[in-house]
Amino acid sequence: MSSTKTEPKRLSTRRIRRRIRKYLKTTPQGEFQVEGVCFAEKHRGRILNADKMGLGKSWQTIAYGAIHPERRPIIVAGPAGVRYKWQREWLQHAKLRAYIVDGEMTTHDQDRKALKKRIEEWKKEGEKGYKLRQMIHDAKKRLRAKWKVNKRKVKELLSAKIVIVNYDIIAGWLPFLVKMAERGDALLVLDECHYLRNKTAKRTKACRALSRECEGVIGLSGTPIEGRPAEFFPVLNMIRPDKYDQFWTYAFKYCAPKKGWGGSWDFSGAANLDSLHRSLKTVMIRREKKGPKGVLKDLPGKLPPEVIPVDITNREDYDDAEADFLSWLLRKKGKAAWTSAQRAEALVKLGQLKKLAALGKLKEAFQWVDDWLEGTDEKLILFGISTEVLQAFKERYPKAAIIDGSVSNKPFWTEDKHGKRIQTSKRQQQVDKFQKDPKTRLVLVQLRAGGEGIDLVAGSCVFFVELGWTPGGHEQAEDRADRIGQTRKVSIFYMVGKDTVEEKVLDLIQAKDDANAQILDGRKGGVMKLLDIFERKAKRTSKHRRTA
């Protein structure tokens, strides 16, 4: 953040309203959205907007950017799945065209080193003579073509006023984004900023470096923290480095540090959460949909979630894996998987046991979905995680809409039923199929691919056949249905395998949710570590054996 520039005078609420009418092509859904823009103005575009999902955080951000035409460029960073949604919304709400940064960016030196390494591999594989020379010639030709394309992309990027880049590639494009930011009064938008919780990740380091060159930084996430205060620091440091400047100061106050072996410190705990909540009042704005302070009184809301415990059909296989995981993995998956799993046995075991539990629930899940579709006239949103589980549902319900990693979100032009040219994508077509086709009553959604950035308000029942690790992921998924436009109460069901690791994962999600609530909303809660799952299981097993 530059200290040499003269700070412009803040706009009054009255002028903000006038500018919204002038620059925006759509109207706010409620007074609370205007208040969100005013909060950003009050703090000069350095805020965390943590409104609950479905309250229009993107509209508020676009409105703030639109009423400040002098704040250019605007750089929107976020997950890959929301790039085209942002592009559509800038055009829809403000008639502004956004440029999407696409593809990895590497330096010429990196490319030459990669080619040199590849040539050595070809030689080791026995390639020689004319064939090797031809392979090298073709590789260099492809490299020159790549450089030519990258040169054009850089030129387009530097001439754009609004840029959208995904977190996976932002590190490679950082030098050019910094060059953009240095030219003007830049605004950086960090969508789904909880992706930046790991302070050592490349994406986090890149965003932190870019934030230092921008006059404004707006973080957006309905679930900005996922259980541990230490994971909250990177985003707070990007938004308000003047207030949250030193990690150690922050960690010793809010993370209950414990000294480990070799002088290392463990910052996975939590402390003084009420104090942290109070300190966020000048940084964060957060509104609920329902409740005493809710801003959408007319929204039907969500019914309390119901847990459906079921017996798994592969109990013997599950118990074998739980009792002696590495031996089970060697028998079932082979030596390569066994060797790889030895490096991180506990985490691999967790993942495999979750998948086994999910596969063991398929029979009960099929029956539940059949009963729902036959017994009601409502549409159903089903969330899963693993490819095997979702594939089983695809085969069982071939007419269902599908939103997973295999369904592209890249836009293309087509014609609607009236012959009008429209921009859409394969993912949007699947969303429209579920939203608009009365015969499509089921949508199968991969939690990571479809848990953010889409509206599924045609469905009023959300069914989780598998569990993620964080309450934020589940809340994001639930709120695909609980949004503006929903006309029914949203029912939520979690199917959990009895006497499986899923029961412990459910406890973990609840414990993390309690901690998040205390930090963000000022409610009391607690914290629990992930790998305590197996420790508690081992203690119970040992106690049971002593009793026997």
Side-chain angles (χ1 to χ4, degrees):
M1 182 170 56
S2 174
S3 58
T4 59
K5 292 185 180 181
T6 304
E7 290 189 344
K9 187 178 179 180
R10 293 184 181 93
L11 297 176
S12 65
T13 302
R14 190 175 178 181
R15 291 185 69 189
I16 287 172
R17 292 182 190 280
R18 277 208 305 265
R19 289 199 178 194
I20 285 175
R21 289 194 295 270
K22 178 180 178 181
Y23 291 107
L24 272 290
K25 306 302 177 185
T26 56
T27 56
Q29 297 285 346
E31 181 62 22
F32 67 93
Q33 290 190 330
V34 178
E35 290 171 0
V37 179
C38 292
F39 186 81
E41 180 67 22
K42 179 181 178 181
H43 297 284
R44 301 193 183 280
R46 284 190 167 266
I47 66 161
L48 170 61
N49 189 325
D51 280 351
K52 289 284 189 174
M53 281 73 73
L55 293 183
K57 293 186 290 294
S58 57
W59 187 93
Q60 295 170 53
T61 306
I62 290 169
Y64 179 76
I67 68 173
H68 285 288
E70 76 284 357
R71 283 218 148 172
R72 298 292 184 271
I74 297 174
I75 302 169
V76 181
V82 300
R83 291 174 297 170
Y84 301 110
K85 175 177 177 285
W86 270 103
Q87 188 183 47
R88 280 197 311 272
E89 292 196 353
W90 276 107
L91 192 60
Q92 174 190 348
H93 298 311
K95 292 296 180 185
L96 294 172
R97 295 192 178 276
Y99 174 75
I100 292 180
V101 181
D102 193 24
E104 294 279 356
M105 173 57 75
T106 52
T107 65
H108 287 200
D109 285 342
Q110 288 173 326
D111 290 335
R112 290 190 186 101
K113 286 179 182 178
L115 177 58
K116 188 177 180 180
K117 184 178 179 182
R118 188 72 182 115
I119 291 171
E120 293 299 323
E121 290 174 355
W122 287 336
K123 289 178 179 179
K124 288 179 182 178
E125 291 168 3
E127 303 294 348
K128 57 185 178 180
Y130 172 77
K131 186 178 180 182
L132 177 61
R133 289 196 299 274
Q134 188 63 42
M135 291 169 71
I136 294 172
H137 176 268
D138 292 344
K140 287 182 176 179
K141 188 177 179 181
R142 288 193 297 272
L143 208 54
R144 286 192 293 271
K146 175 188 172 183
W147 289 345
K148 188 175 180 181
V149 170
N150 283 351
K151 187 177 180 180
R152 175 179 55 79
K153 287 182 177 179
V154 169
K155 187 177 179 180
E156 291 172 348
L157 171 69
L158 294 177
S159 64
K161 299 294 185 183
I162 301 173
V163 170
I164 301 167
V165 59
N166 75 70
Y167 289 138
D168 295 333
I169 63 173
I170 193 170
W173 288 92
L174 181 61
F176 307 103
L177 295 170
V178 167
K179 190 175 179 180
M180 281 185 73
E182 288 173 343
R183 291 188 323 197
D185 189 8
L187 173 65
L188 175 62
V189 179
L190 302 172
D191 191 22
E192 307 296 352
C193 59
H194 53 271
Y195 277 68
L196 306 175
R197 62 182 178 271
N198 183 352
K199 61 186 175 69
T200 61
K202 283 185 179 180
R203 66 177 67 167
T204 308
K205 290 179 178 179
C207 288
R208 183 166 57 244
L210 184 56
S211 71
R212 297 298 185 259
E213 305 300 329
C214 295
E215 292 300 311
V217 181
I218 297 179
L220 306 176
S221 178
T223 54
I225 184 170
E226 298 190 345
R228 295 175 178 175
E231 296 173 350
F232 206 6
F233 178 80
V235 171
L236 295 176
N237 175 251
M238 290 178 216
I239 296 170
R240 289 290 302 274
D242 58 322
K243 187 172 183 177
Y244 303 95
D245 58 338
Q246 295 294 328
F247 174 73
W248 283 83
T249 304
Y250 174 93
F252 272 86
K253 187 171 183 180
Y254 300 123
C255 302
K258 294 179 182 178
K259 199 163 187 179
W261 293 100
S264 62
W265 286 88
D266 176 11
F267 294 112
S268 60
N272 302 314
L273 300 187
D274 290 335
S275 174
L276 178 56
H277 172 68
R278 288 192 296 272
S279 81
L280 293 173
K281 288 183 178 180
T282 58
V283 181
M284 181 182 75
I285 183 170
R286 181 172 175 82
R287 278 80 61 88
E288 301 278 344
K289 295 176 190 172
K290 302 291 287 181
K293 297 182 180 179
V295 294
L296 291 180
K297 303 294 185 183
D298 297 331
L299 195 68
K302 295 186 284 191
L303 294 168
E306 291 186 35
V307 176
I308 307 168
V310 296
D311 291 316
I312 59 174
T313 56
N314 56 349
R315 172 56 64 185
E316 185 176 345
D317 200 23
Y318 180 92
D319 288 344
D320 284 347
E322 190 175 32
D324 190 349
F325 176 68
L326 289 177
S327 298
W328 174 88
L329 194 67
L330 183 63
R331 290 197 310 273
K332 296 287 184 178
K333 305 287 184 179
K335 190 173 181 180
W338 175 80
T339 304
S340 178
Q342 285 183 309
R343 302 189 194 108
E345 181 184 352
L347 290 175
V348 176
K349 182 175 181 179
L350 270 170
Q352 287 292 337
L353 289 180
K354 278 178 82 244
K355 187 184 291 186
L356 277 174
L359 292 170
K361 295 185 295 184
L362 282 178
K363 182 179 177 181
E364 292 283 355
F366 289 155
Q367 186 62 55
W368 193 94
V369 173
D370 289 343
D371 291 344
W372 178 271
L373 295 177
E374 291 171 10
T376 74
D377 62 348
E378 299 177 47
K379 292 192 174 189
L380 176 64
I381 305 166
L382 184 146
F383 281 97
I385 297 173
S386 59
T387 305
E388 294 94 324
V389 171
L390 285 171
Q391 185 59 39
F393 277 95
K394 290 178 188 179
E395 294 171 2
R396 175 85 173 197
Y397 306 100
K399 294 183 180 180
I402 299 164
I403 303 169
D404 61 10
S406 67
V407 182
S408 172
N409 198 29
K410 190 171 184 178
F412 59 87
W413 289 93
T414 186
E415 292 186 355
D416 64 12
K417 61 182 181 181
H418 304 296
K420 183 181 177 182
R421 279 177 59 77
I422 58 170
Q423 191 180 43
T424 186
S425 66
K426 290 184 177 179
R427 178 175 295 188
Q428 189 59 45
Q429 286 178 332
Q430 291 295 309
V431 171
D432 291 343
K433 178 182 176 183
F434 179 73
Q435 289 281 86
K436 299 175 182 178
D437 183 2
K439 294 181 180 178
T440 304
R441 296 184 54 217
L442 175 65
V443 59
L444 308 175
V445 188
Q446 191 174 42
L447 190 61
R448 186 168 179 81
E452 301 166 343
I454 57 174
D455 292 348
L456 298 171
V457 293
S460 55
C461 177
V462 180
F463 178 54
F464 291 93
V465 74
E466 290 183 89
L467 300 177
W469 289 113
T470 64
H474 288 279
E475 190 176 2
Q476 291 262 18
E478 291 171 6
D479 285 350
R480 296 312 97 204
D482 186 35
R483 307 176 76 77
I484 295 170
Q486 181 59 261
T487 58
R488 302 189 187 200
K489 285 269 190 183
V490 178
S491 306
I492 301 160
F493 299 93
Y494 288 82
M495 183 170 279
V496 177
K498 289 168 66 176
D499 299 320
T500 70
V501 71
E502 287 190 329
E503 292 181 337
K504 320 304 180 301
V505 172
L506 206 59
D507 291 342
L508 166 69
I509 292 170
Q510 182 59 58
K512 284 187 174 183
D513 192 40
D514 290 342
N516 294 352
Q518 189 173 0
I519 295 168
L520 299 177
D521 304 318
R523 299 196 301 267
K524 296 294 181 182
V527 178
M528 183 178 74
K529 288 186 179 180
L530 174 62
L531 295 181
D532 284 349
I533 290 171
F534 283 126
E535 292 172 11
R536 293 205 318 272
K537 177 77 175 177
K539 287 177 183 177
R540 283 202 301 272
T541 304
S542 175
K543 184 178 179 181
H544 174 73
R545 285 173 180 164
R546 287 198 301 270
T547 305

